[in-house]
Amino acid sequence: TKYSWVEKSTCIACGSCAAAAPDIFDYDDEGLAEVIYNGDSNQGAVAIPEDLHDDLQDACDGCPTDSIKIVSKQEDAVL
Ligand code: F3S
């Protein structure tokens, strides 16, 4: 199981994550990324299903500021 969120304090709005994983990420009014999957409001509370794990990893690997956080336990998320 994987949970994810964006560390907005380090996101530079580069815009590559939602291109890599459009089902998981979107951008707020300032262009900063956030996890929107299944209603998750960037809390890392919603499990990302297995069929999206490749996209998630691609987005994480492609983030120039390592702002995409992935944990395997919900209690390790920001919430
Ligand atoms: Fe921000 Fe990284 Fe996405 S800088 S826009 S979280 S790829």
Side-chain angles (χ1 to χ4, degrees), residues 5-37:
W5 71 95
V6 175
E7 196 63 53
K8 289 199 180 195
S9 62
T10 55
C11 171
I12 56 169
C14 86
S16 78
C17 53
D23 294 325
I24 303 173
F25 300 98
D26 201 355
Y27 306 111
D28 69 14
D29 292 343
E30 296 175 355
L32 301 177
E34 53 193 12
V35 171
I36 49 87
Y37 181 76

Side-chain angles (χ1 to χ4, degrees), residues 47-72:
I48 308 292
E50 212 157 313
D51 61 323
L52 291 177
H53 284 186
D54 283 351
D55 283 359
L56 176 61
Q57 195 59 52
D58 286 348
C60 183
D61 292 345
C63 178
T65 59
D66 288 330
S67 298
I68 295 172
K69 307 304 177 186
I70 302 173
V71 296
S72 56

